[in-house]
Amino acid sequence: ETGVTQSPTHLIKTRGQQVTLRCSSQSGHNTVSWYQQALGQGPQFIFQYYREEENGRGNFPPRFSGLQFPNYSSELNVNALELDDSALYLCASSRIWTGGWETQYFGPGTRLLVL
Amino acid sequence: DQQVKQNSPSLSVQEGRISILNCDYTNSMFDYFLWYKKYPAEGPTFLISISSIKDKNEDGRFTVFLNKSAKHLSLHIVPSQPGDSAVYFCAARGGGSEKLVFGKGTKLTVNP
């Protein structure tokens, strides 16, 4: 059973550019959530995807967008990058079923630096 | 506003002793609580969880206690080992959402 994987591991962009981060969910999981972790802070919820649709969103502007694919993998897109977008971006997968939710398991993250 | 608070940024204990990490929350809609451990350059690793219908959950060396009236939970690690040195995050969810709300973390150092 493979765990959650993310790519790339590190990325450097300049202000105003666009970035796409990728996540492959753990086998058997149907839900992907994205979190932003700034230095010295806990992870903050960006949004969640379930059945290829957004299933909840945190306090992030519309320039943060995402996709989920039929194989449950996911992308996080950020447009018009700002310096404050520099952070560790974490993807977590889990399973939603008729009985409820299961624990979220995290990938290693993508470290984004915006210059 | 911080709905989940970990007021101790760091904690240092001796190997073999007990480590106690604390977490407070403000949102009474939270009904499920989790602890994650994070090493540098890795993602958070799930440790242990507790539902609001329980007040204690054990898994090996790790025990989580929940005091709903005080809106407080704690993670006990006994005995502490140097490999437990990491940042520990408390997280909560509830109100019909699977969204996790995290504290800022506590850095635990276990000295040999």
Side-chain angles (χ1 to χ4, degrees):
Chain A
E1 179 183 284
T2 55
V4 180
T5 61
Q6 291 186 243
S7 63
T9 54
H10 294 84
L11 205 50
I12 300 175
K13 290 284 188 179
T14 55
R15 198 169 44 180
Q17 284 189 311
Q18 177 265 344
V19 69
T20 298
L21 311 181
R22 294 179 174 83
C23 170
S24 291
S25 58
Q26 186 167 310
S27 175
H29 287 180
N30 55 17
T31 302
V32 173
S33 302
W34 286 91
Y35 293 81
Q36 180 196 66
Q37 186 180 10
L39 206 58
Q41 303 293 317
Q44 285 210 301
F45 177 74
I46 303 175
F47 45 53
Q48 180 186 85
Y49 277 82
Y50 171 58
R51 290 184 174 176
E52 301 177 48
E53 291 191 0
E54 191 177 287
N55 183 44
R57 189 177 185 93
N59 190 25
F60 281 82
R63 59 189 185 83
F64 286 78
S65 63
L67 284 173
Q68 186 182 32
F69 300 100
N71 66 353
Y72 305 121
S73 66
S74 176
E75 285 182 358
L76 164 66
N77 298 291
V78 187
N79 293 322
L81 283 167
E82 300 177 0
L83 298 180
D84 283 350
D85 296 333
S86 296
L88 179 68
Y89 288 86
L90 295 161
C91 165
S93 75
S94 58
R95 189 168 71 107
I96 292 177
W97 56 295
T98 52
W101 304 288
E102 294 184 352
T103 301
Q104 294 185 21
Y105 292 90
F106 284 81
T110 293
R111 174 74 61 187
L112 173 65
L113 178 60
V114 182
L115 301 175
Chain B
D1 71 22
Q2 273 255 278
Q3 296 186 68
V4 177
K5 297 178 185 178
Q6 294 177 257
N7 291 319
S8 298
S10 63
L11 175 68
S12 183
V13 300
Q14 286 300 120
E15 182 178 4
R17 305 295 291 268
I18 184 171
S19 295
I20 300 176
L21 296 101
N22 294 303
C23 177
D24 297 295
Y25 63 96
T26 58
N27 190 338
S28 57
M29 297 297 289
F30 289 148
D31 58 11
Y32 199 74
F33 303 89
L34 307 92
W35 285 93
Y36 286 85
K37 176 170 74 173
K38 187 177 185 301
Y39 294 117
E42 294 185 12
T45 303
F46 170 71
L47 262 181
I48 192 168
S49 61
I50 188 166
S51 163
S52 60
I53 62 172
K54 294 186 173 182
D55 54 19
K56 178 182 172 182
N57 188 26
E58 280 182 88
D59 184 1
R61 297 186 297 115
F62 302 92
T63 303
V64 56
F65 295 92
L66 175 62
N67 182 334
K68 287 188 292 293
S69 60
K71 293 192 175 68
H72 176 83
L73 65 156
S74 60
L75 174 68
H76 292 210
I77 306 173
V78 185
S80 301
Q81 300 173 354
D84 296 329
S85 297
V87 178
Y88 288 76
F89 290 99
C90 170
R93 75 173 191 218
S97 168
E98 201 194 348
K99 156 189 168 181
L100 292 178
V101 179
F102 283 85
K104 291 187 177 183
T106 296
K107 183 177 181 180
L108 173 66
T109 302
V110 180
N111 301 301

Short mmCIF file of all heavy atoms in Angstrom, two decimals, chain B residues 59-106:
data_model
loop_
_atom_site.label_atom_id
_atom_site.label_comp_id
_atom_site.label_asym_id
_atom_site.label_seq_id
_atom_site.Cartn_x
_atom_site.Cartn_y
_atom_site.Cartn_z
N ASP B 59 -2.76 3.91 23.11
CA ASP B 59 -2.15 3.12 22.04
C ASP B 59 -0.68 2.99 22.38
O ASP B 59 0.12 3.89 22.10
CB ASP B 59 -2.34 3.81 20.69
CG ASP B 59 -1.80 2.97 19.54
OD1 ASP B 59 -1.31 1.84 19.78
OD2 ASP B 59 -1.87 3.42 18.38
N GLY B 60 -0.33 1.88 23.01
CA GLY B 60 1.05 1.65 23.38
C GLY B 60 1.53 2.68 24.40
O GLY B 60 0.94 2.86 25.45
N ARG B 61 2.59 3.40 24.04
CA ARG B 61 3.15 4.41 24.94
C ARG B 61 2.37 5.71 24.94
O ARG B 61 2.67 6.61 25.74
CB ARG B 61 4.61 4.69 24.54
CG ARG B 61 5.55 3.50 24.67
CD ARG B 61 7.00 3.89 24.39
NE ARG B 61 7.20 4.38 23.03
CZ ARG B 61 7.56 5.63 22.74
NH1 ARG B 61 7.75 6.52 23.70
NH2 ARG B 61 7.74 5.99 21.48
N PHE B 62 1.42 5.84 24.05
CA PHE B 62 0.69 7.10 23.88
C PHE B 62 -0.73 7.00 24.44
O PHE B 62 -1.45 6.04 24.15
CB PHE B 62 0.62 7.46 22.39
CG PHE B 62 1.97 7.60 21.75
CD1 PHE B 62 2.56 6.51 21.11
CD2 PHE B 62 2.65 8.80 21.79
CE1 PHE B 62 3.82 6.64 20.53
CE2 PHE B 62 3.89 8.93 21.20
CZ PHE B 62 4.48 7.84 20.58
N THR B 63 -1.11 8.00 25.24
CA THR B 63 -2.46 8.09 25.78
C THR B 63 -2.95 9.50 25.60
O THR B 63 -2.23 10.46 25.90
CB THR B 63 -2.49 7.74 27.28
OG1 THR B 63 -1.96 6.42 27.48
CG2 THR B 63 -3.93 7.76 27.80
N VAL B 64 -4.17 9.63 25.10
CA VAL B 64 -4.78 10.95 24.98
C VAL B 64 -5.94 11.03 25.96
O VAL B 64 -6.74 10.09 26.08
CB VAL B 64 -5.22 11.26 23.53
CG1 VAL B 64 -6.17 10.22 22.98
CG2 VAL B 64 -5.82 12.65 23.43
N PHE B 65 -6.01 12.14 26.68
CA PHE B 65 -7.08 12.40 27.64
C PHE B 65 -7.89 13.59 27.15
O PHE B 65 -7.32 14.59 26.68
CB PHE B 65 -6.51 12.73 29.02
CG PHE B 65 -5.77 11.58 29.66
CD1 PHE B 65 -4.41 11.44 29.47
CD2 PHE B 65 -6.43 10.66 30.45
CE1 PHE B 65 -3.70 10.39 30.06
CE2 PHE B 65 -5.75 9.60 31.04
CZ PHE B 65 -4.38 9.47 30.85
N LEU B 66 -9.21 13.50 27.27
CA LEU B 66 -10.09 14.59 26.85
C LEU B 66 -10.96 15.02 28.04
O LEU B 66 -11.64 14.20 28.64
CB LEU B 66 -10.96 14.15 25.69
CG LEU B 66 -12.02 15.16 25.21
CD1 LEU B 66 -11.37 16.44 24.70
CD2 LEU B 66 -12.90 14.52 24.12
N ASN B 67 -10.93 16.32 28.33
CA ASN B 67 -11.80 16.90 29.36
C ASN B 67 -12.72 17.89 28.66
O ASN B 67 -12.34 19.03 28.39
CB ASN B 67 -10.94 17.60 30.42
CG ASN B 67 -11.78 18.20 31.55
OD1 ASN B 67 -12.95 18.53 31.36
ND2 ASN B 67 -11.19 18.34 32.70
N LYS B 68 -13.94 17.43 28.34
CA LYS B 68 -14.84 18.25 27.54
C LYS B 68 -15.30 19.49 28.27
O LYS B 68 -15.47 20.55 27.68
CB LYS B 68 -16.05 17.42 27.10
CG LYS B 68 -15.72 16.40 26.02
CD LYS B 68 -16.97 15.74 25.48
CE LYS B 68 -17.65 14.85 26.50
NZ LYS B 68 -16.82 13.67 26.84
N SER B 69 -15.52 19.37 29.56
CA SER B 69 -16.02 20.54 30.30
C SER B 69 -14.98 21.65 30.32
O SER B 69 -15.32 22.83 30.29
CB SER B 69 -16.40 20.14 31.73
OG SER B 69 -15.29 19.62 32.42
N ALA B 70 -13.71 21.28 30.34
CA ALA B 70 -12.64 22.27 30.32
C ALA B 70 -12.16 22.60 28.92
O ALA B 70 -11.30 23.47 28.73
CB ALA B 70 -11.45 21.77 31.15
N LYS B 71 -12.68 21.88 27.93
CA LYS B 71 -12.24 22.02 26.53
C LYS B 71 -10.72 21.88 26.46
O LYS B 71 -10.01 22.74 25.91
CB LYS B 71 -12.70 23.34 25.92
CG LYS B 71 -14.22 23.46 25.74
CD LYS B 71 -14.57 24.67 24.89
CE LYS B 71 -16.05 24.75 24.58
NZ LYS B 71 -16.86 25.04 25.77
N HIS B 72 -10.25 20.77 27.01
CA HIS B 72 -8.82 20.55 27.13
C HIS B 72 -8.50 19.10 26.81
O HIS B 72 -9.21 18.19 27.21
CB HIS B 72 -8.37 20.86 28.56
CG HIS B 72 -6.93 20.58 28.82
ND1 HIS B 72 -5.92 21.48 28.48
CD2 HIS B 72 -6.30 19.50 29.35
CE1 HIS B 72 -4.75 20.95 28.82
NE2 HIS B 72 -4.95 19.76 29.35
N LEU B 73 -7.42 18.90 26.05
CA LEU B 73 -6.93 17.54 25.88
C LEU B 73 -5.42 17.52 26.07
O LEU B 73 -4.75 18.55 25.97
CB LEU B 73 -7.33 16.93 24.54
CG LEU B 73 -6.84 17.49 23.22
CD1 LEU B 73 -6.89 16.41 22.16
CD2 LEU B 73 -7.72 18.63 22.78
N SER B 74 -4.94 16.33 26.40
CA SER B 74 -3.51 16.19 26.61
C SER B 74 -3.04 14.86 26.03
O SER B 74 -3.80 13.90 25.95
CB SER B 74 -3.15 16.28 28.09
OG SER B 74 -3.80 15.26 28.84
N LEU B 75 -1.79 14.84 25.63
CA LEU B 75 -1.13 13.65 25.12
C LEU B 75 -0.03 13.27 26.10
O LEU B 75 0.84 14.10 26.40
CB LEU B 75 -0.54 13.91 23.74
CG LEU B 75 0.30 12.78 23.14
CD1 LEU B 75 -0.58 11.57 22.81
CD2 LEU B 75 1.05 13.25 21.89
N HIS B 76 -0.08 12.04 26.60
CA HIS B 76 0.95 11.53 27.49
C HIS B 76 1.79 10.50 26.76
O HIS B 76 1.23 9.59 26.10
CB HIS B 76 0.32 10.87 28.72
CG HIS B 76 -0.38 11.84 29.62
ND1 HIS B 76 -0.48 11.65 30.99
CD2 HIS B 76 -0.98 13.03 29.38
CE1 HIS B 76 -1.13 12.67 31.53
NE2 HIS B 76 -1.44 13.51 30.58
N ILE B 77 3.09 10.63 26.86
CA ILE B 77 4.01 9.67 26.25
C ILE B 77 4.85 9.07 27.38
O ILE B 77 5.57 9.78 28.08
CB ILE B 77 4.95 10.34 25.22
CG1 ILE B 77 4.14 11.12 24.18
CG2 ILE B 77 5.81 9.29 24.53
CD1 ILE B 77 4.99 11.94 23.22
N VAL B 78 4.69 7.74 27.58
CA VAL B 78 5.41 7.08 28.66
C VAL B 78 5.90 5.70 28.20
O VAL B 78 5.06 4.89 27.78
CB VAL B 78 4.51 6.87 29.91
CG1 VAL B 78 5.31 6.28 31.07
CG2 VAL B 78 3.86 8.17 30.34
N PRO B 79 7.19 5.37 28.32
CA PRO B 79 8.27 6.30 28.65
C PRO B 79 8.71 7.07 27.41
O PRO B 79 8.60 6.57 26.28
CB PRO B 79 9.38 5.35 29.12
CG PRO B 79 9.15 4.11 28.30
CD PRO B 79 7.65 4.00 28.11
N SER B 80 9.21 8.25 27.57
CA SER B 80 9.67 9.06 26.44
C SER B 80 11.00 8.50 25.92
O SER B 80 11.85 8.04 26.70
CB SER B 80 9.87 10.51 26.87
OG SER B 80 8.67 11.05 27.35
N GLN B 81 11.17 8.56 24.60
CA GLN B 81 12.38 8.07 23.96
C GLN B 81 12.96 9.17 23.08
O GLN B 81 12.21 10.01 22.57
CB GLN B 81 12.06 6.84 23.10
CG GLN B 81 11.48 5.67 23.88
CD GLN B 81 11.01 4.54 22.99
OE1 GLN B 81 11.01 4.65 21.76
NE2 GLN B 81 10.61 3.44 23.61
N PRO B 82 14.27 9.17 22.86
CA PRO B 82 14.87 10.22 22.01
C PRO B 82 14.22 10.31 20.63
O PRO B 82 14.11 11.40 20.07
CB PRO B 82 16.34 9.80 21.92
CG PRO B 82 16.60 9.08 23.21
CD PRO B 82 15.31 8.32 23.49
N GLY B 83 13.77 9.19 20.09
CA GLY B 83 13.11 9.20 18.78
C GLY B 83 11.77 9.90 18.78
O GLY B 83 11.20 10.17 17.72
N ASP B 84 11.25 10.21 19.97
CA ASP B 84 9.98 10.95 20.06
C ASP B 84 10.20 12.45 19.84
O ASP B 84 9.23 13.20 19.73
CB ASP B 84 9.34 10.75 21.45
CG ASP B 84 8.94 9.32 21.72
OD1 ASP B 84 8.58 8.61 20.75
OD2 ASP B 84 8.97 8.90 22.89
N SER B 85 11.43 12.89 19.79
CA SER B 85 11.73 14.31 19.59
C SER B 85 11.20 14.74 18.22
O SER B 85 11.61 14.22 17.17
CB SER B 85 13.24 14.55 19.65
OG SER B 85 13.74 14.24 20.94
N ALA B 86 10.26 15.69 18.25
CA ALA B 86 9.56 16.12 17.04
C ALA B 86 8.64 17.27 17.44
O ALA B 86 8.54 17.63 18.61
CB ALA B 86 8.74 14.98 16.43
N VAL B 87 7.94 17.83 16.45
CA VAL B 87 6.89 18.80 16.74
C VAL B 87 5.56 18.06 16.77
O VAL B 87 5.25 17.29 15.85
CB VAL B 87 6.84 19.93 15.69
CG1 VAL B 87 5.70 20.89 15.99
CG2 VAL B 87 8.17 20.68 15.68
N TYR B 88 4.79 18.28 17.82
CA TYR B 88 3.49 17.61 17.98
C TYR B 88 2.37 18.63 17.77
O TYR B 88 2.34 19.68 18.40
CB TYR B 88 3.39 16.99 19.37
CG TYR B 88 4.27 15.77 19.51
CD1 TYR B 88 5.65 15.92 19.68
CD2 TYR B 88 3.75 14.50 19.43
CE1 TYR B 88 6.48 14.80 19.78
CE2 TYR B 88 4.55 13.37 19.52
CZ TYR B 88 5.93 13.54 19.69
OH TYR B 88 6.75 12.44 19.78
N PHE B 89 1.45 18.26 16.88
CA PHE B 89 0.30 19.11 16.59
C PHE B 89 -0.97 18.47 17.11
O PHE B 89 -1.22 17.28 16.89
CB PHE B 89 0.15 19.33 15.08
CG PHE B 89 1.22 20.19 14.48
CD1 PHE B 89 2.30 19.61 13.83
CD2 PHE B 89 1.14 21.57 14.55
CE1 PHE B 89 3.29 20.41 13.25
CE2 PHE B 89 2.12 22.37 13.98
CZ PHE B 89 3.20 21.78 13.34
N CYS B 90 -1.76 19.28 17.76
CA CYS B 90 -3.12 18.92 18.15
C CYS B 90 -4.04 19.41 17.05
O CYS B 90 -3.85 20.50 16.49
CB CYS B 90 -3.41 19.61 19.48
SG CYS B 90 -5.11 19.54 20.02
N ALA B 91 -5.04 18.61 16.69
CA ALA B 91 -5.99 19.01 15.65
C ALA B 91 -7.39 18.60 16.07
O ALA B 91 -7.58 17.64 16.82
CB ALA B 91 -5.63 18.37 14.31
N ALA B 92 -8.37 19.32 15.56
CA ALA B 92 -9.77 19.03 15.90
C ALA B 92 -10.64 19.17 14.67
O ALA B 92 -10.31 19.91 13.73
CB ALA B 92 -10.25 19.99 16.99
N ARG B 93 -11.75 18.44 14.67
CA ARG B 93 -12.73 18.60 13.60
C ARG B 93 -14.12 18.44 14.20
O ARG B 93 -14.30 17.89 15.29
CB ARG B 93 -12.50 17.62 12.46
CG ARG B 93 -12.92 16.20 12.75
CD ARG B 93 -12.81 15.30 11.53
NE ARG B 93 -13.45 14.04 11.81
CZ ARG B 93 -13.01 12.86 11.38
NH1 ARG B 93 -11.89 12.79 10.66
NH2 ARG B 93 -13.65 11.77 11.67
N GLY B 94 -15.11 18.92 13.46
CA GLY B 94 -16.48 18.79 13.94
C GLY B 94 -17.42 19.71 13.20
O GLY B 94 -17.04 20.36 12.23
N GLY B 95 -18.66 19.76 13.67
CA GLY B 95 -19.66 20.60 13.04
C GLY B 95 -20.01 20.15 11.65
O GLY B 95 -20.39 20.95 10.80
N GLY B 96 -19.87 18.84 11.37
CA GLY B 96 -20.23 18.31 10.06
C GLY B 96 -19.16 18.48 9.01
O GLY B 96 -19.38 18.17 7.83
N SER B 97 -17.99 18.96 9.39
CA SER B 97 -16.92 19.18 8.43
C SER B 97 -15.76 18.24 8.72
O SER B 97 -15.46 17.94 9.87
CB SER B 97 -16.43 20.62 8.51
OG SER B 97 -15.23 20.80 7.81
N GLU B 98 -15.11 17.78 7.64
CA GLU B 98 -13.92 16.95 7.83
C GLU B 98 -12.67 17.83 7.94
O GLU B 98 -11.58 17.34 8.17
CB GLU B 98 -13.75 15.97 6.66
CG GLU B 98 -12.88 14.78 7.01
CD GLU B 98 -12.44 13.99 5.79
OE1 GLU B 98 -12.97 14.22 4.69
OE2 GLU B 98 -11.53 13.15 5.94
N LYS B 99 -12.83 19.14 7.80
CA LYS B 99 -11.70 20.07 7.90
C LYS B 99 -11.05 19.92 9.27
O LYS B 99 -11.73 19.89 10.30
CB LYS B 99 -12.24 21.48 7.71
CG LYS B 99 -11.42 22.60 8.31
CD LYS B 99 -12.19 23.90 8.22
CE LYS B 99 -11.55 24.99 9.06
NZ LYS B 99 -12.32 26.25 8.98
N LEU B 100 -9.71 19.83 9.28
CA LEU B 100 -8.96 19.78 10.53
C LEU B 100 -8.49 21.19 10.88
O LEU B 100 -7.98 21.91 10.03
CB LEU B 100 -7.75 18.86 10.40
CG LEU B 100 -8.05 17.36 10.24
CD1 LEU B 100 -6.75 16.58 10.08
CD2 LEU B 100 -8.84 16.83 11.43
N VAL B 101 -8.66 21.56 12.15
CA VAL B 101 -8.16 22.82 12.66
C VAL B 101 -6.99 22.49 13.58
O VAL B 101 -7.15 21.73 14.55
CB VAL B 101 -9.25 23.59 13.43
CG1 VAL B 101 -8.68 24.91 13.96
CG2 VAL B 101 -10.45 23.85 12.53
N PHE B 102 -5.82 23.02 13.28
CA PHE B 102 -4.60 22.68 13.99
C PHE B 102 -4.18 23.77 14.97
O PHE B 102 -4.43 24.96 14.76
CB PHE B 102 -3.45 22.51 12.99
CG PHE B 102 -3.47 21.21 12.24
CD1 PHE B 102 -4.23 21.07 11.09
CD2 PHE B 102 -2.71 20.13 12.67
CE1 PHE B 102 -4.25 19.87 10.39
CE2 PHE B 102 -2.70 18.93 11.97
CZ PHE B 102 -3.48 18.80 10.83
N GLY B 103 -3.50 23.34 16.04
CA GLY B 103 -2.76 24.26 16.88
C GLY B 103 -1.42 24.58 16.23
O GLY B 103 -1.09 24.06 15.16
N LYS B 104 -0.63 25.42 16.90
CA LYS B 104 0.64 25.84 16.33
C LYS B 104 1.76 24.84 16.58
O LYS B 104 2.85 24.99 16.02
CB LYS B 104 1.06 27.20 16.90
CG LYS B 104 0.19 28.35 16.43
CD LYS B 104 0.76 29.69 16.90
CE LYS B 104 -0.08 30.84 16.36
NZ LYS B 104 0.48 32.16 16.73
N GLY B 105 1.51 23.87 17.41
CA GLY B 105 2.50 22.83 17.65
C GLY B 105 3.34 23.06 18.89
O GLY B 105 3.52 24.19 19.35
N THR B 106 3.84 21.96 19.44
CA THR B 106 4.78 21.97 20.56
C THR B 106 5.99 21.14 20.16
O THR B 106 5.83 19.97 19.77
CB THR B 106 4.16 21.37 21.84
OG1 THR B 106 3.07 22.19 22.26
CG2 THR B 106 5.19 21.29 22.95
#
